[in-house]
Amino acid sequence: MFPLAWAVCEVESTDTWSWFLELLATDLGTSEGAGYTFMSDQQKGLLAAVSNVFPQAESRVCARHVYCNFRGVFGGGLEYRKQFWTIAKSNTVNHFNENIEVMRGISHEAAEDLLKRNYKKWCRAFYTPLSCCDSVDNNMSEVFNAYILSARHKPIITMLEDIREGLMERLHKKRDFIGKKEIMLCPRIQIQLEKHKIWARGWNAYWDGRFCYGVREGATQVKYVVDLNQHTCSCNAWQVSGIPCKHAIVAIWNKVYHPEQYVNAYFCKQTYMKAYEFLLEPLNGPQEWPTSDSIVVAPKVKKVNGRPKTKRRYGVGEVTASGKLKRTGCSMKCSLCGVIGHNKRGCKNAPKQQQHSNNHATAEQTTPQQQHPRTSSAIPMHNRGVGIYTYPNGYQRIATVSHSIYSNSFLHVTLLY
């Protein structure tokens, strides 16, 4: 996470996003956005502003926000959630089609709905190797929002100063942390590469005599082609992430090279230090600010009912601060009739005997021979049948049916010593 620019606006709209992106394009020195990748959370006005200001840039959509919209239609079932993320992390088009067919087996409507949600923007199989980033969500932006949460409720000038001072401190800490380490790759990239080395076990490489290798998994027919000269693999994982996949690592080991030499230069220590070479400079306080003759007109105050909220609103299916999933947006399903929209407490479709079968027991359903002496004491006395019962401590009781002129028959219990 390396913040480039931030601004405060009245409302997030196409006009404000266009104004912000135009200033960003001027600072970056680009007019069409070629060579850049933008990932959005489907915010209103943002997609239109990116397409207008950066027509040549690659645009992606956060898969987590897509899943929240998908969940609002089909519910938060475990099968839906697992299969959705499997689809989002598909590396090839064939793998994507196979996972879509698996989703179609779960629900044909769900598979058709995902195909209508612009899947080429949130699935890895359709990413370009431009940015060497295989992330399907924008968690980095969410991390920055949490980083500035304590300053967001302050006045504008104080808020901007707190954000700037916090980032000024963060930048030099990141630079000094990596600068002191004797490493070739960034720590998290090295950890990911070590995982790929472990996953490479069981794969065999066959050299063609130049730069290409055929990699096969044991005796199966799963094969991929690796080109060490072009830094590509037919599984598409190496190109998208910039980190050699398990198939490429097998080919690199066959050539007696080190996988670290084939990691993209973006993740090297030298590139990391270049990014943090220029730091934010401190500024004077308001007492040293120059005076200006121009008058700044404050925007109109937008009155909002109720107390303003300072905590972030959690989305559907997102883990809250207590560690539990938020159930807002989940659809209830009755366990008696199977209809969505209510539970068994308010079910009006099932017979009454079926509704109360779990809560009430009749004397005719139980006989003394069916009940075990050790388990009979755990059942309430008024729910047991007629007969002689023995307690674990040796006491016995006799339950007989008595009649009353005021009511129906009831159980009469006598203890025997």
Side-chain angles (χ1 to χ4, degrees):
M1 183 189 72
F2 189 93
L4 295 177
W6 57 93
V8 180
C9 59
E10 184 177 0
V11 65
E12 295 186 42
S13 61
T14 305
D15 295 335
T16 55
W17 274 117
S18 299
W19 163 77
F20 178 78
L21 293 178
E22 288 174 357
L23 295 177
L24 180 62
T26 303
D27 293 337
L28 296 178
T30 179
S31 57
E32 300 293 333
Y36 292 94
T37 301
F38 291 87
M39 176 177 286
S40 64
D41 57 354
Q42 295 180 312
Q43 177 68 36
K44 294 181 179 179
L46 179 56
L47 298 178
V50 171
S51 61
N52 294 333
V53 181
F54 301 104
Q56 297 184 7
E58 179 189 6
S59 60
R60 301 179 184 178
V61 174
C62 178
R64 187 175 64 83
H65 291 81
V66 176
Y67 172 71
C68 290
N69 298 334
F70 172 79
R71 175 174 175 157
V73 179
F74 296 95
L78 184 61
E79 286 185 319
Y80 286 119
R81 178 168 61 87
K82 286 187 175 181
Q83 192 58 30
F84 172 84
W85 288 109
T86 302
I87 294 173
K89 296 179 181 180
S90 302
N91 289 322
T92 62
V93 178
N94 291 335
H95 193 198
F96 169 79
N97 294 330
E98 292 176 1
N99 293 327
I100 284 292
E101 292 302 322
V102 175
M103 177 66 80
R104 199 181 302 276
I106 300 174
S107 172
H108 180 78
E109 293 77 9
E112 293 297 327
D113 182 81
L114 289 178
L115 294 177
K116 296 178 182 179
R117 294 185 180 272
N118 199 3
Y119 57 88
K120 293 185 178 181
K121 299 292 185 181
W122 49 268
C123 180
R124 285 179 183 171
F126 305 95
Y127 286 177
T128 63
L130 183 66
S131 60
C132 290
C133 179
D134 60 350
S135 178
V136 295
D137 51 39
N138 61 349
N139 286 341
M140 289 185 289
S141 299
E142 302 297 337
V143 169
F144 181 75
N145 291 336
Y147 184 77
I148 64 174
L149 187 62
S150 60
R152 294 185 63 176
H153 68 280
K154 298 180 180 180
I156 293 181
I157 301 297
T158 307
M159 178 187 66
L160 292 175
E161 282 298 298
D162 288 353
I163 295 175
R164 186 185 61 81
E165 291 176 354
L167 291 178
M168 181 175 63
E169 190 78 10
R170 175 187 175 87
L171 292 180
H172 83 80
K173 285 184 178 180
K174 290 291 183 180
R175 180 199 61 183
D176 298 340
F177 176 74
I178 299 296
K180 296 177 181 179
K181 291 183 175 292
E182 295 295 333
I183 56 176
M184 178 181 177
L185 303 176
C186 295
R188 294 189 179 182
I189 304 301
Q190 186 66 48
I191 294 175
Q192 187 66 28
L193 185 63
E194 295 299 327
K195 292 181 180 180
H196 292 179
K197 292 179 181 179
I198 297 175
W199 296 342
R201 299 172 181 175
W203 290 79
N204 300 319
Y206 302 92
W207 186 32
D208 69 343
R210 298 191 65 184
F211 301 104
C212 294
Y213 285 83
V215 182
R216 186 178 64 184
E217 183 183 13
T220 64
Q221 296 299 320
V222 180
K223 300 178 182 178
Y224 294 98
V225 178
V226 177
D227 190 341
L228 297 183
N229 190 28
Q230 299 294 331
H231 290 198
T232 60
C233 178
S234 57
C235 74
N236 199 36
W238 191 3
Q239 300 91 289
V240 174
S241 65
I243 306 173
C245 59
K246 56 185 178 182
H247 318 116
I249 290 178
V250 175
I252 295 171
W253 282 343
N254 187 278
K255 200 172 179 61
V256 197
Y257 284 167
H258 296 286
E260 285 78 6
Q261 299 174 352
Y262 287 85
V263 178
N264 195 286
Y266 293 165
F267 307 118
C268 295
K269 176 183 176 180
Q270 297 178 354
T271 307
Y272 190 95
M273 296 301 295
K274 287 182 180 179
Y276 289 89
E277 183 177 356
F278 300 95
L279 306 175
L280 292 177
E281 298 180 358
L283 299 176
N284 292 321
Q287 74 283 353
E288 297 295 333
W289 290 355
T291 57
S292 176
D293 297 333
S294 60
I295 300 176
V296 179
V297 180
K300 295 182 180 179
V301 179
K302 184 178 179 180
K303 186 178 180 180
V304 181
N305 296 330
R307 180 179 296 179
K309 297 182 179 180
T310 58
K311 296 184 179 180
R312 189 174 66 87
R313 299 177 182 178
Y314 293 95
V316 177
E318 188 176 358
V319 178
T320 60
S322 61
K324 298 181 179 180
L325 290 175
K326 189 176 181 180
R327 301 186 64 182
T328 304
C330 299
S331 58
M332 296 185 297
K333 185 176 181 180
C334 181
S335 59
L336 299 179
C337 63
V339 179
I340 298 176
H342 66 276
N343 54 13
K344 64 180 182 180
R345 294 183 179 179
C347 181
K348 299 180 180 179
N349 301 328
K352 292 184 178 180
Q353 295 179 358
Q354 184 178 0
Q355 294 181 21
H356 301 283
S357 60
N358 296 331
N359 301 328
H360 301 281
T362 58
E364 291 80 4
Q365 295 175 348
T366 308
T367 60
Q369 291 79 9
Q370 293 176 346
Q371 284 194 349
H372 195 276
R374 294 183 178 272
T375 59
S376 61
S377 59
I379 305 175
M381 188 175 297
H382 59 275
N383 283 347
R384 301 174 193 163
V386 179
I388 301 176
Y389 297 89
T390 303
Y391 289 95
N393 56 6
Y395 293 110
Q396 292 182 339
R397 71 172 181 84
I398 300 177
T400 59
V401 179
S402 302
H403 297 276
S404 174
I405 59 175
Y406 301 102
S407 61
N408 296 329
S409 59
F410 61 92
L411 291 178
H412 178 74
V413 179
T414 304
L415 293 179
L416 301 178
Y417 296 91

